[in-house]
Structures are given as structure tokens and as C-alpha cells.
């Protein structure tokens, strides 16, 4: 095994064609060079309409410690928020604060970082040549993105230049700015239908979404595509091939852009090593469809249908589980119902472990939770805690697996994932994805695959994460309400219900020769304090006794507020009368010290009684409490008779 370089890749919506193509270029180059890749990605766009949910997703970019990586590639296009680069600039600033490692952006120039421009010139020139040379179009309308947007202006300029080379001049009215989305195509159709813009022979759109919006609106108004007007798009999305009128489109060159970014990093971190250029296969990048009048590529369409169908009846053989499982199998597995039925955090994590088979292929799946994720009173919106709990690991070989919140090991957030930077026989990709509910950060999941695995993140993974997030929040709420029902609100100590529940666990885990110890503490003169100084001061006095009782309760013991001003300490273990006497003495000493540090016009005192018994099957907790209670009252009466009490000013 050799020490590997580690590349960090920041993107969004990893299941999208755009992110998949970038990942293909990065993975191919990193596989050549033997580099590991860590992908940090929100599962939705920063522009997602559900803002609280989007903010929860964006927390994943606060997780990486960039100083641990040898180079960083950032997909600027996917991280632009409402056509503004402020958010991605913030990420770049944080990267520069943490490391001097090479940082390369892809797509849109940002700050002063090294950029690999999304060089799709050849693709747009090919679209223009296809419209003119194959279909003889003369009047061509060009639909691009936002005016002033670098990518939109670049795509427009290339198309204008190629059409000029072909001897065509584009009218000013046929140069249209949009937003790369469906609405721009619909608006262009409305303008053509109203006569505001003369009908061209063809429209070449700088994105498939705009082209599809145009086709939909024209078709709805009885304009025939391609007979009346031909339409071509860009990026070869799923929707393009599956549209009723399949769209002629061409793949983007983002795989090469991302590969070039890795090569730039390699030339800086290993200048003496060979750079092996990425070679895209241009012959397979143009996808023909009905929208321009060409015969569709049915083989490609069929492959797209198979990968996109919700449910396909299959013989689900064992061999299937070595491949990505389709969305239909995910939905028909009823994983959401099983997850949300979880009653405890440990049961939920165990169910998540069982449900992780649906994410095959993988080497390991990890679930990392914020240390305080179950605490509903903590402000989870602050992001990730300094300590992270590794509550689940499921491996391909089912070796060293575990799933437990109770017994989880913790590690520093800066590590991100223990073992990720250790030497390995082969290079891996680690997909880091946020776990959250709304904008409450709960943790993150890491999916580890070999770089040689060609599968990328898909719709199955995103929906599995959604199911997991909902289940974790539901069990978090259940845990909170159960915890409230087991604990006293004022003091935070166990109440009687919690006492019985925890005692049964202690009894089950007891050794044969263990003893049961009970101490009953009853506060003195609470009525006097309430009547003289008010109930608020009475509550203060009760809190004093509870704090002292909790402070002398050892880790394996229970501290209970039984009601009003009465408290119990319960233990199972190797006790004797000497230990009981020492426990009572500790109580009085701590109470004396605590009262010396606060200034109150009254004394806070208490009486104590204790009882001890062998923990046999017929020993009842209530019976021993009653015995300790009698001892406490005997002690209280004796003190009154002797006019003696522990009076702490």
C-alpha cells in the first residue's frame, strides 16, 4: 500500500447529468493517478424553493477540513445561488483560509482562483452545423441564458461565430436571452405565436430545459415540431430523450473540464509525474431526436427509459444486487414505513443499517451524527458539533459492522471520517451527504465506493437519504417525549416512571452477588420557606437539594425526584453499611459547602434514610424504598427530639 493523494470535489445535486459528467472526468483521472476522491455535495440546488431545507443541505459545505486535502475542485455552476456568486465566493474564501493546496474551479470564473472554462465550443458548433448542413435551415433563432452571465454569453458568441462561418447572419430579434429553464422557452413560444418575433426555421437553445419548454408551448398551440419549426438543445438530459417529441441535443464537455482540473492539480502537487490527458469520445455525444426531423436513436432512448422507469417487473436475482438498484425497487421495498416505525434511536439506526442494501454497490456506508443530535433543546442550526458520533458502519463484506447510538465511538469533526486518509490498496471515492431535518443539522452519511465502480449517485440515493432524515427526526421527537415523560422538568432528574424503567435495566445487568441500595432524602421545612419567602424561593431550595443529591450519585446509580421535596438515590452493586454511611456523610458535606457559596435568608436542610438488601428475585424496589423512608423519618424525628439538625446558614 502506498500513501495516496486526496482530492476534494465540491458540487450539488450529484445525481444530475451535469454533476455525473464532472464526476466521470474527475474519477477517470484520479483512477489513473491513484488518487482518492471525497465528494461533498448537497442533494438539491442552492436555489431550492424550500429555503429551510436548502439551508440544512448547504451545511455539508461547512464540514470539510480543507487542510487535509492535496487539491480541491469546485463545481461553481452548481453552487451559484440565484445567479449570484456570493455563496460560492464564501466557500472559496474558507478554503484559502485553511490551505494552500491547489484550488481549481469549473464553469464560471470566481474570485482569483484557477478556472477551467466549460469549453463546449465544439458542441455548439456541431449543433449549428447540423441545423444548417443537414436540415438546410436559413433563419435560426438562438436562445441562451441570462444577459451578462458568462456562460450564457460564451455559448451565444460561439453559435453566432459558427453560423457566420456557415454564411448566415442572425437577426437581432432572433437573439434571445432567457434563464436556462423551461419558462424561457415558453416565453419565446408566446412571442413567436403573438408575432412579436418572426417564426424562424429552427431554434437552437443553450439548454435542454429551454428547448423542451419551447416545444411544449408550441405543440399546445398547434405549431408542429419539426414540420413548422425545428428545435435543438444542449446537454443531453434524461428529459430530452424521454420527451414526447424527443429532442435533438448534444452532451456537454464537462467531463473533460473536470479532468483538466485534476490535471492542473497533479501538475502542481506532483510536478515530476506524467499528466495523462482525458480524451472525450465526440462521436457518441450528439443524440438525435424527432425535434429536428432526424430519426431518434432508439437504443439510447431505451437505455434512458430503463434507467428512469419507476417500476420495472424483474426477476430480482442475487446478481442484481451488485448493480445500482432502481427507484422502483426502493419504493416497493417499504423502507420508509419500517424506518419511521422505529421506537428508539438504536432501533432506528439498526433499521437504517438493514435498509442500506438498497445503495449497492458500496465498500462501506457510514452514518455520522452530531454528538448532541438527540437533544431537542440544543440549537442544531449551528451546524456540526466539534465531536461526531460514528453510529453506523455497514461494509460490503459485513466485517466489523456495527449500528448503535448508545455505544458509538466519537471522533473530531476535523477528521470527517476516521480511516479516510489511511493507506489503501486501491483508490476510493467517498460521497459525503448531509443528514438534517429542515435547517436542523443532524449529521452526515458517507458512501464509499471504489473508483473503478462506474456507478454514480442517483435518484435512489437521494430518496434513501430523505427517508433516513425523516426517520431520524421522528425518532428524535419520540426520544424527546419519552425522555420528558421519564424526567422531572424542574430538576432534570428521573421521575418515578423513569426510575422504574432504568431500575429494570439495572436488575437485568446485575451480577448474582450484587446488592440493592436505596437512599431516601426528604427536605426539611419546605412549607416554611414557601410561606415566608414565596414559592419561587421554595423551588430554589428544592433545586439545591436535587443538585447535591445528583452530585453524590455515582455513574452507575440513579438519582430520582420522587415528588415534591423527596429524592431517591438507587444503586446496584457491591454495597455495605460503611458505603451507606459514607454516602450520607458526603451529602451533608456537599450541602454545607453549597449553602456557604450562596446567600439566602433561610437554611436548606434535609433528612436521610438508607436501606440495603441482597438483590434476589423476590426483592421489590418499592419495599426497600419504604424501608429507607422509615429510616429517614426515624432520623428526622430523632433530630427534632434532640433539637439537632444540620443547619447550614
Amino acid at each position: 500500500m502506498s500513501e495516496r493523494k486526496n482530492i476534494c470535489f465540491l458540487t450539488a445535486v450529484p445525481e444530475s447529468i451535469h454533476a455525473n459528467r464532472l464526476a466521470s472526468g474527475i474519477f477517470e483521472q484520479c483512477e489513473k493517478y491513484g488518487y482518492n476522491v471525497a465528494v461533498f455535495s448537497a442533494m438539491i440546488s442552492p436555489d431550492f424553493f424550500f429555503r429551510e431545507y436548502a439551508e440544512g443541505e448547504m451545511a455539508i459545505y461547512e464540514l470539510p477540513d480543507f487542510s487535509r486535502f492535496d487539491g480541491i475542485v469546485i463545481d461553481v455552476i452548481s453552487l451559484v445561488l440565484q445567479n449570484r456568486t456570493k455563496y460560492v465566493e464564501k466557500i472559496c474564501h474558507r478554503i484559502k483560509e485553511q490551505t494552500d493546496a491547489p484550488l481549481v474551479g469549473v464553469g464560471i470564473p470566481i474570485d482569483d482562483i484557477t478556472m477551467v472554462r466549460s469549453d463546449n465550443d465544439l458542441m455548439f458548433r456541431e449543433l449549428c452545423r447540423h441545423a444548417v448542413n443537414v436540415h438546410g435551415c436559413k433563419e435560426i433563432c438562438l436562445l441562451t441564458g441570462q444577459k451578462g452571465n458568462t456562460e450564457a454569453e460564451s455559448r451565444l458568441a460561439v453559435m453566432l461565430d459558427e453560423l457566420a462561418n456557415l454564411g448566415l447572419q442572425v437577426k437581432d430579434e432572433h437573439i434571445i436571452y432567457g434563464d436556462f429553464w423551461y419558462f424561457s422557452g415558453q416565453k419565446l413560444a408566446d412571442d413567436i405565436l403573438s408575432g412579436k418575433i418572426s417564426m424562424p426555421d429552427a431554434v437552437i437553445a443553450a439548454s435542454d430545459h429551454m428547448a423542451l419548454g419551447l416545444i411544449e408551448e408550441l405543440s399546445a398551440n398547434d405549431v408542429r415540431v419539426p414540420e413548422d419549426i425545428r428545435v435543438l438543445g444542449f446537454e443531453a438530459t434524461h428529459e430530452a430523450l424521454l420527451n414526447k417529441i424527443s429532442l435533438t441535443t448534444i452532451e456537454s464537455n464537462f467531463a473533460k473540464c473536470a479532468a483538466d482540473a485534476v490535471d492542473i492539480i497533479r501538475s502542481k502537487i506532483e510536478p515530476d509525474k506524467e499528466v495523462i490527458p482525458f480524451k472525450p469520445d465526440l462521436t457518441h455525444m450528439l443524440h438525435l431526436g424527432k425535434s429536428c426531423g432526424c430519426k431518434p436513436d432508439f437504443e439510447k432512448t431505451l437505455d434512458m427509459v430503463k434507467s428512469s422507469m419507476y417500476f420495472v417487473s424483474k426477476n430480482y436475482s442475487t446478481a442484481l444486487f451488485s448493480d445500482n438498484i432502481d427507484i422502483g425497487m426502493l419504493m416497493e421495498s417499504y423502507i420508509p414505513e419500517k424506518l419511521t416505525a422505529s421506537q428508539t434511536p438504536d432501533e432506528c439506526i439498526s433499521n437504517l443499517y438493514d435498509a442500506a442494501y438498497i445503495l449497492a454497490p458500496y465498500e462501506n456506508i457510514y452514518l455520522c451524527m452530531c454528538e448532541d443530535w438527540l437533544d431537542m433543546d440544543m440549537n442544531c442550526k449551528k451546524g456540526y458539533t466539534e465531536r461526531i458520533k460514528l453510529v453506523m458502519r455497514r461494509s460490503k463484506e459485513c466485517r466489523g459492522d456495527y449500528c448503535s447510538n448508545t455505544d458509538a465511538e466519537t471522533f473530531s469533526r476535523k477528521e470527517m471520517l476516521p480511516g479516510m486518509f489511511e493507506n489503501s490498496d486501491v483508490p476510493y471515492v467517498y460521497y459525503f451527504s448531509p443528514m438534517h431535518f429542515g435547517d436542523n443539522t443532524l449529521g452526515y452519511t458517507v458512501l464509499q465506493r471504489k473508483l473503478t465502480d462506474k456507478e454514480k449517485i442517483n435518484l435512489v440515493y437521494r430518496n434513501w437519504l430523505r427517508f433516513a432524515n425523516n426517520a431520524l427526526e421522528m425518532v428524535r421527537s419520540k426520544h424527546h417525549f419519552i425522555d420528558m415523560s421519564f424526567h422531572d422538568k424542574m430538576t432534570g432528574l428521573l421521575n418515578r416512571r423513569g426510575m422504574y424503567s432504568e431500575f429494570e435495566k439495572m436488575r437485568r445487568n446485575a451480577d448474582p452477588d450484587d446488592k440493592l441500595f436505596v437512599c431516601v432524602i426528604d427536605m426539611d421545612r419546605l412549607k416554611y420557606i414557601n410561606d415566608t419567602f414565596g414559592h419561587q424561593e421554595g423551588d430554589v431550595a428544592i433545586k439545591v437539594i436535587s443538585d447535591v443529591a445528583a452530585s453524590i450519585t455515582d455513574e452507575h446509580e440513579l438519582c430520582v425526584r420522587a415528588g415534591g421535596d423527596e429524592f431517591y438515590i438507587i444503586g446496584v452493586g457491591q454495597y455495605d453499611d460503611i458505603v451507606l454511611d459514607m454516602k450520607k456523610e458526603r451529602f451533608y458535606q456537599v450541602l454545607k459547602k453549597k449553602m456557604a457559596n450562596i446567600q439566602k435568608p433561610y437554611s436548606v436542610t434535609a433528612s436521610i434514610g438508607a436501606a440495603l438488601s441482597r438483590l434476589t428475585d423476590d426483592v421489590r424496589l418499592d419495599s426497600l424504598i419504604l424501608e429507607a423512608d422509615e429510616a429517614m423519618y426515624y432520623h428526622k424525628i430523632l433530630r427534632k427530639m434532640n433539637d439537632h439538625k444540620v443547619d447550614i446558614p
Side-chain angles (χ1 to χ4, degrees), residues 69-80:
F69 295 101
D70 299 286
I72 299 102
V73 179
I74 184 166
D75 171 17
V76 179
I77 291 175
S78 70
L79 295 175
V80 170

Side-chain angles (χ1 to χ4, degrees), residues 164-175:
N165 293 338
L166 294 168
L168 297 181
Q169 184 72 31
V170 179
K171 298 176 181 178
D172 288 344
E173 66 169 336
H174 286 161
I175 298 175

Side-chain angles (χ1 to χ4, degrees), residues 176-189:
I176 309 296
Y177 288 94
D179 60 3
F180 290 125
W181 203 238
Y182 299 99
F183 308 116
S184 299
Q186 292 169 344
K187 183 178 184 307
L188 174 58

Side-chain angles (χ1 to χ4, degrees), residues 74 88-96 103 110-111 113:
I74 184 166
V88 72
E89 287 171 2
K90 180 181 176 182
I91 295 176
C92 291
H93 179 71
R94 193 164 71 86
I95 294 171
K96 292 177 183 178
L103 168 61
I110 191 78
D111 271 351
I113 69 172

